[in-house]
Amino acid sequence: MKVLVTGGCGYIGSHTIVDLINNGFDVVSVDSNIRSSTQLLEGVEKITGRKIRNYKVDLCNLEDTHAVFHENRDIVGVIHFAALKTVPESVADPLFYFHNNIESLVNILKCVKEFNIPNLVFSSSCSVYGNATELPVVESTPLLEAQSPYARTKQMGEQIIRDYSRVNSTQSILLRYFNPVGAHSSALIGELPLGRPDNLVPFITQTAIGKLPKLTVFGHDYDTRDGSCIRDYIHVMDIANAHTKALQYLLDKKNKENCEVFNLGTGNGVTVLEAIKAFEKISGVKLNYELGPRRPGDVIAIYANNTKAKELLGWEANTGIEDMMRTAWQWEVALRDRVLSN
Ligand code: NAD
Ligand code: WQD
């Protein structure tokens, strides 16, 4: 069974392709490489021993997107990862985000409709909850004001799919990821931020390896157990496996509604300082960090209730924070070794 993965050259897309192939699916990818190269797909090929076709197509171009669907009429589903995802960039250039993330989704849906593709899985985000006041968040927790144009594209994306699902037969799942981190255990694929990372874990590993001089902990006077923010970090391979399970759930016709939503988090809140401690423990590296001011726009704490995904998808997030950090570190070290050996 063939699956079309958009954004297959990116971080979560590439790890998901590995899990899909391990579970017997064939995959074709569409990625314009606006935020990636073919490097991760080459890593996927080494891990799986399979050649993966990527169509270098901008999904905002309907004609090119249509041509991909035309050539792959036999797909059983689409997993739509492709999007821009940098919060501060979206604040600085909202139209770029609305154009890219919404236009691409609408084009995907036009093709899904025309080619009668039965199943769709969409990458959403815990950022749709905004500054949630009740924790942990459940899927039915009301969505509050989006804190960035990026988050708004995810709220809008979910709404567009819901409205579409009301009048079309496509079965959809919206997956709300919390904070995906870590890398495949082979260290052949991992997170590959272009330029200076915004996210905590690549910032930690790049500081530890010497690419960046120092990490600043954004805020140490929050009302949390150690004063730093709490997040639900989740291993990228656990996220990846949830996509395979979500697709299988749709293929097995286990869904009760045309459009269903699932949180993908571990359910455990971890503070920034705890994440740093876990990193130092597994790496043996003393991290150069300082306690600094709060970052504007940060929520104090957010973590998931993941009962729905466990019960309905039969999914488990098995990897703990130390293994998340270990695989992220192994990937950073592998990247350095590759540069040194060239
Ligand atoms: P990523 O940037 O590594 O991968 C996204 C890929 O999509 C990139 O390879 C990029 O080139 C491609 N792309 C973007 N716009 C495109 C377009 N118009 N046409 C074709 N390709 C395009 O990001 P990721 O971390 O793998 O994220 C995947 C999805 O998960 C995104 O939708 C993101 O918003 C969502 N998400 C990510 C996180 C996270 O922390 N990584 C958290 C929640 C949700
Ligand atoms: C995690 C924690 C920072 C960097 C973002 C998006 C969200 C979702 C996941 C896509 C926070 C702290 C960070 C640093 C720090 N993505 N931190 N020093 O902000 O929870 O979520 O990624 O959908 O939409 O907003 O992730 O990794 O940036 O931050 O202290 O140098 O680490 O303050 O508490 P965030 P993050």
Side-chain angles (χ1 to χ4, degrees), residues 48-85:
T48 61
R50 296 270 285 277
K51 189 100 197 99
I52 314 293
R53 168 94 192 259
N54 181 60
Y55 292 86
K56 194 170 170 173
V57 158
D58 180 353
L59 295 163
C60 295
N61 181 317
L62 180 58
E63 211 177 303
D64 291 352
T65 305
H66 188 272
V68 175
F69 278 81
H70 190 75
E71 243 184 81
N72 294 279
R73 288 168 172 270
D74 52 340
I75 54 175
V76 295
V78 175
I79 306 184
H80 182 43
F81 292 101
L84 300 171
K85 62 160 185 181

Side-chain angles (χ1 to χ4, degrees), residues 276-303:
I276 292 173
K277 270 197 207 92
F279 173 79
E280 290 183 326
K281 181 172 170 205
I282 60 84
S283 67
V285 177
K286 180 86 197 73
L287 194 73
N288 188 21
Y289 72 90
E290 64 183 3
L291 302 181
R294 296 179 175 194
R295 180 171 71 174
D298 264 339
V299 299
I300 302 170
I302 188 156
Y303 49 96

